[in-house]
Amino acid sequence: MDSFSPVDPSLVDVVLPVDDQGYPEQEMLADRESGVLFGVCGSASRKMPDSLRIPQSEWAKRAAENDRNHTWPMNYIDRYTNQQPTHECTCHSLRTNFEGARNRQRGVIYPDGPKYQGGYKESGEVGSVWVSPLSVYAEANPRQWGGAGVRQVLEIACRRGILPDKKQPHDYGFKHSLQGTTGKGNEFQSSGGWVAVRNFPDGWEQTAKLFRPLEVIFPESWEDAVSLVLNGYFVSVGRDGHAIPWGQWLPNQQMMAYPDSYNVTRYDSLRTVRSAWQGSFAIATVTTPDDWNNPAA
Amino acid sequence: MRINYAAGLVILACCAAFVQCEERRGPTPDPISVESSVPLTPPAVPTPAPVVQPKDVTPAPLPEFAIDGLTEIEPGRMLTLTITGITATAAIDGPLPGVSWLMYPKTDDQRIERNGHAIHATWPGPCHVWFVASVNNPDPTAKPLVAMKLVKVGEPKTPEPDTKPATPTTPSTPSTPVAPSPVKRVTYVYEKDDGEIPSEVAVALDRLNRDRKIMATKFEDDSTDGDDQVPEQYKAALAIAREFGEPILVIEFIDGRTPLYVKGPTTKEQVLQAVP
């Protein structure tokens, strides 16, 4: 995960085919209106703290430190997800942001970043929990196709939380869970049919509330977005019909790397970063269990 | 006096490598995870092609490309290996060629000098480690030069059989097994508006979790559980943080003794050395 090495140009500024795009332009424009996202998160909303701003002159040094210590946002998630061919992208981006924040609190680093096969044996030992993007998307867009806006999914997650995926690295004994996606999924994400919210398992709210964002930071510039990533926070953004979470800054090439919800890491150029940061967010903290080894309690 | 620029570069590089080695021989480095398999047979590596010399020219000796350093080291101590013979391959006006390294088994706690002319690493427990270094051959049509070195880390010594009659001496203290950690939990309590956890402290927490199986986490002081309450596991640490200020590292014990704390740690060593 060396942030100074060159990348495959075919993975830069990738625009998905129109049929695969789950972040409609009208939603993106609405999300980028000043104050909109800040408003939907209620008491969870946070302005960008000055203490997290890093001067541009120190970005390369900080990137080298993150390379050495494996403290990029990418190092705080243990899995990819795969939404192919659904329109769930905003919710997959949300889940990456959420799981990254939760694992950051847990204090465990995944040195090779996310995986879609093989995995980390310690995921189950340290209480890593995989949440279900579908459990949010089903409420954000009951019609299933057409995508959702960032403001809808953020509001839902902050208000009532996210259900755990049926697949977990360990049997935590969750009373309620849901398939992760109606798309392909992978070794670490379950796949299943569409489920309307009214057909969620009875009492599901009691489990979903255990997995809620508590503080969400809204960057006020593209430089803020880079600073957050350098501090280990995922920054979820939407652009070109697709929502993704920035997870690593590449100083030499001036790019952001992100774990795309297609089992692959891709990159956004500086031009894209500068245009897309508006309407972005970073989950700073999430609900914390009374016992990390028993997250179902 | 003619100044030999290339020689000067060589001298500077050697001095830099020497200083780096000396600086690293400091306090005991951090424990890290290690693979359990012990490779006793090195991986297959192609040997350099023999040098073909023109008949009318006296062949110049090949530089002795080799890995220099200890062949045995204690667990947790920083091992430093350096490359020798590399200066002989330097072009008069060019930089020293870079050296590539392979290590079996790997360790997370490693650092390679920018030009690859030295490597530093630690392991927490007994193992055998093969190092393989390679560099471009001075002859560009020949295969790279390769050097290998086997290092033993903390191999326990086999006690010699006692063939002499016991003589009356002070009774020896029987060896006691290593006790499990008395630590129940380590928590870094902080307010994110005052700054994020230093990355070295994050690494230290990860090490405590992985290597010592100690519950080591960070807690932002506004965080709550799913019922908007302070999580039970953090009440004691939060109380100490409120009393002594943040950021703070709180160490709680299984037997309920008075917790320890460290105010504002910023390095791995500060955390790992504070946790018994």
Side-chain angles (χ1 to χ4, degrees), chain A residues 16-50:
Chain A
L16 299 179
V18 170
D19 287 346
D20 290 344
Q21 293 178 9
Y23 191 39
E25 186 179 12
Q26 66 268 26
E27 301 289 353
M28 182 187 75
L29 293 173
D31 290 337
R32 290 183 180 184
E33 289 286 327
S34 175
V36 163
L37 293 185
F38 199 94
V40 298
C41 291
S43 60
S45 296
R46 297 288 183 274
K47 285 181 163 295
M48 176 73 182
D50 278 336

Side-chain angles (χ1 to χ4, degrees), chain A:
Chain A
M1 205 171 286
D2 177 6
S3 61
F4 293 86
S5 295
V7 302
D8 180 354
S10 70
L11 297 175
V12 180
D13 287 342
V14 172
V15 178
L16 299 179
V18 170
D19 287 346
D20 290 344
Q21 293 178 9
Y23 191 39
E25 186 179 12
Q26 66 268 26
E27 301 289 353
M28 182 187 75
L29 293 173
D31 290 337
R32 290 183 180 184
E33 289 286 327
S34 175
V36 163
L37 293 185
F38 199 94
V40 298
C41 291
S43 60
S45 296
R46 297 288 183 274
K47 285 181 163 295
M48 176 73 182
D50 278 336
S51 61
L52 296 184
R53 288 191 167 106
I54 301 173
Q56 282 203 37
S57 59
E58 294 182 22
W59 284 3
K61 178 182 167 189
R62 195 61 175 265
E65 188 179 317
N66 282 343
D67 282 350
R68 191 168 58 249
N69 292 329
H70 304 297
T71 43
W72 290 109
M74 298 275 273
N75 294 121
Y76 288 110
I77 53 169
D78 51 4
R79 64 162 186 158
Y80 286 99
T81 58
N82 190 352
Q83 67 172 88
Q84 176 72 33
T86 72
H87 294 164
E88 302 164 357
C89 60
T90 48
C91 298
H92 285 254
S93 175
L94 170 73
R95 83 89 204 168
T96 305
N97 213 315
F98 180 90
E99 288 179 13
R102 192 174 187 278
N103 291 333
R104 215 168 49 237
Q105 289 175 205
R106 178 58 185 87
V108 173
I109 292 170
Y110 298 101
D112 298 328
K115 300 185 179 183
Y116 62 88
Q117 56 190 22
Y120 295 90
K121 67 173 177 58
E122 59 267 33
S123 290
E125 295 168 4
V126 299
S128 170
V129 171
W130 298 334
V131 295
S132 164
L134 180 63
S135 71
V136 174
Y137 186 74
E139 182 172 341
N141 185 354
R143 301 182 314 276
Q144 184 177 359
W145 297 102
V150 168
R151 65 193 181 288
Q152 286 107 316
V153 306
L154 255 187
E155 188 277 330
I156 291 166
C158 290
R159 169 171 46 85
R160 53 78 151 171
I162 312 170
L163 275 173
D165 194 309
K166 284 184 174 178
K167 264 191 193 175
Q168 296 293 330
H170 178 76
D171 182 7
Y172 298 120
F174 288 121
K175 292 181 186 146
H176 314 95
S177 61
L178 199 75
Q179 51 268 36
T181 178
T182 58
K184 280 190 177 171
N186 57 35
E187 187 177 333
F188 312 121
Q189 183 184 39
S190 64
S191 171
W194 176 256
V195 181
V197 175
R198 64 179 178 276
N199 293 326
F200 280 14
D202 286 341
W204 63 271
E205 297 92 337
Q206 296 307 307
T207 301
K209 72 178 183 181
L210 301 176
F211 305 101
R212 266 188 301 128
L214 287 180
E215 292 179 290
V216 184
I217 298 173
F218 297 96
E220 295 162 20
S221 64
W222 72 271
E223 294 94 337
D224 281 356
V226 175
S227 289
L228 285 168
V229 169
L230 288 168
N231 272 295
Y233 296 72
F234 275 105
V235 175
S236 288
V237 299
R239 75 283 177 277
D240 298 320
H242 187 40
I244 53 89
W246 288 330
Q248 184 180 8
W249 171 250
L250 282 57
N252 285 355
Q253 298 156 95
Q254 303 273 286
M255 287 183 190
M256 284 283 204
Y258 59 91
D260 204 355
S261 42
Y262 292 92
N263 291 348
V264 67
T265 293
R266 289 176 169 144
Y267 307 88
D268 278 349
S269 66
L270 180 60
R271 176 177 54 83
T272 301
V273 169
R274 283 178 176 245
S275 66
W277 69 270
Q278 290 164 313
S280 68
F281 67 92
I283 297 176
T285 57
V286 303
T287 45
T288 305
D290 287 316
D291 179 357
W292 284 100
N293 292 327
N294 186 14

Side-chain angles (χ1 to χ4, degrees), chain B residues 128-185:
Chain B
H128 290 76
V129 186
W130 274 103
F131 289 87
V132 180
S134 63
V135 71
N136 285 340
N137 196 299
D139 178 357
T141 64
K143 292 181 180 178
L145 299 177
V146 177
M148 291 188 285
K149 187 180 183 67
L150 176 65
V151 175
K152 296 180 184 178
V153 178
E155 182 169 73
K157 294 181 181 177
T158 305
E160 293 182 2
D162 185 7
T163 57
K164 297 180 182 177
T167 54
T169 58
T170 304
S172 61
T173 305
S175 62
T176 52
V178 175
S181 172
V183 175
K184 178 180 183 181
R185 186 183 298 120

Side-chain angles (χ1 to χ4, degrees), chain B residues 39-54:
Chain B
L40 297 179
T41 306
V45 178
T47 53
V51 176
V52 177
Q53 301 294 335

Side-chain angles (χ1 to χ4, degrees), chain A residues 65 109 122 209 233 289, chain B residues 193 196 199 210 227 232-233:
Chain A
E65 188 179 317
I109 292 170
E122 59 267 33
K209 72 178 183 181
Y233 296 72
Chain B
D193 289 345
E196 186 48 62
S199 64
R210 286 174 178 279
D227 293 316
E232 197 63 40
Q233 62 172 317

